[in-house]
Amino acid sequence: MHLLPEQVKTRFTKDCRMVFFTGAGISAESGVPTFRDKDGYWSKYDPMILASVDGFRQDPELVWEWYLYRREKIISVEPNPAHFGITRFQSIFNEAIVATQNVDDLHNRAGNREVYELHGNIFATKCLECGMALDMPPNFDLKTHGIPQCECGGMARPGVVWFGESLPRETLTRVFELTRRADVFFSIGTSTEVYPAAQLPFEAKNHGAVVIEINPNRTPFSVHADLVLQQPSGEILPQLFEELQFALA
Ligand SMILES: [Zn+2]
């Protein structure tokens, strides 16, 4: 069975410009817990405390404990066939980039190239005060050594975007540029509800891209998509790749 109608398939050429825009759904397929379903011990804490500058200033040890715990969880899961599917697309299409709202590093671990991380990376660490990236191992002994410091004296904090913070400007600008000139735009496992990133599929559509949504659930964008595939991306992307590889061969 073919997934792509003819008028969509013709948009795929070796030199077409492609964007893979991904959200929590693609990670959930790997077993990464979504931010809101915190298990056991952590369920009593408010996400606004665990993921905001104010919360961090109030209780930096608590926030670091939560992030070290999440890093450990994420290290124990693997990229899934959707992540590896993107690597395969990138092996035959000349211009295919990834813009992700996920912080779990799974795109990089699957060998994806040109990954733009709109919300940062959970394994990155930066200075709370000056913002400088700090080169630190993903795990450290909080109890013995306390929170590491930047040379400016500021505390180390996780390199992710927290509630109330802006997305990294250069990354966002670049992703919007690439989206406007895209021929094919995939919106994968994202609820398209959190702005400004949620604007991207609309931006692609308004600038002439064919937009394919892959998500088991319908989203506010679904009615605007050229094609909606309501199944897990780990099933769909490898199938699409096979179909296109055959068509382009
Ligand atoms: Zn600093």
Side-chain angles (χ1 to χ4, degrees):
M1 200 195 76
H2 294 297
L3 296 170
L4 294 173
E6 207 50 40
Q7 73 273 21
V8 172
K9 195 190 271 185
T10 53
R11 300 295 297 274
F12 287 87
T13 61
K14 264 192 151 10
D15 293 315
C16 72
R17 295 164 179 154
M18 207 178 278
V19 172
F20 292 92
F21 173 52
T22 66
I26 191 172
S27 298
E29 289 177 44
S30 278
V32 174
T34 61
F35 196 76
R36 286 177 195 281
D37 48 57
K38 297 194 297 294
D39 35 30
Y41 179 74
W42 292 102
S43 59
K44 61 179 183 240
Y45 293 100
D46 179 356
M48 291 301 285
I49 301 290
L50 297 175
S52 73
V53 170
D54 288 348
F56 184 74
R57 287 194 192 279
Q58 268 172 44
D59 196 343
E61 275 87 10
L62 176 79
V63 173
W64 261 119
E65 250 180 77
W66 155 243
Y67 276 91
L68 291 171
Y69 165 79
R70 286 184 70 210
R71 283 178 176 181
E72 219 173 280
K73 277 264 186 201
I74 290 170
I75 286 172
S76 72
V77 305
E78 298 296 330
N80 66 63
H83 297 103
F84 291 114
I86 293 173
T87 308
R88 294 170 77 195
F89 272 89
Q90 290 185 322
S91 71
I92 61 166
F93 292 96
N94 296 327
E95 194 181 315
I97 68 112
V98 179
T100 187
Q101 296 160 278
N102 302 330
V103 298
D104 51 41
D105 206 39
L106 291 177
H107 285 292
N108 294 318
R109 281 172 59 195
N112 293 178
R113 292 179 280 110
E114 275 204 77
V115 178
Y116 294 87
E117 293 169 322
L118 295 165
H119 292 170
N121 186 310
I122 195 167
F123 298 105
T125 303
K126 64 183 183 184
C127 172
L128 177 67
E129 305 304 334
C130 73
M132 191 170 75
L134 303 175
D135 188 17
M136 281 179 36
N139 214 334
F140 58 90
D141 192 347
L142 192 62
K143 295 250 155 31
T144 319
H145 302 293
I147 296 170
Q149 284 193 348
C150 173
E151 58 192 35
C152 82
M155 275 187 288
R157 60 160 277 185
V160 296
V161 175
W162 279 336
F163 291 113
E165 294 187 302
S166 316
L167 272 50
R169 196 158 49 151
E170 270 177 41
T171 305
L172 190 64
T173 305
R174 184 72 184 129
V175 166
F176 266 88
E177 276 168 19
L178 291 163
T179 295
R180 286 187 202 107
R181 55 193 219 114
D183 301 300
V184 178
F185 186 98
F186 287 98
S187 185
I188 303 172
T190 170
S191 64
T192 70
E193 277 166 347
V194 185
Y195 282 80
Q199 181 63 30
L200 288 167
F202 292 95
E203 197 76 3
K205 178 84 188 155
N206 292 341
H207 287 78
V210 62
V211 183
I212 301 172
E213 180 175 77
I214 305 174
N215 198 324
N217 308 306
R218 288 189 71 84
T219 74
F221 182 75
S222 300
V223 291
H224 307 282
D226 294 282
L227 179 64
V228 177
L229 298 166
Q230 250 182 299
Q231 283 170 65
S233 53
E235 289 169 22
I236 292 292
L237 280 174
Q239 273 186 63
L240 283 180
F241 180 79
E242 294 303 328
E243 206 173 313
L244 288 163
Q245 192 187 31
F246 182 70
L248 289 174

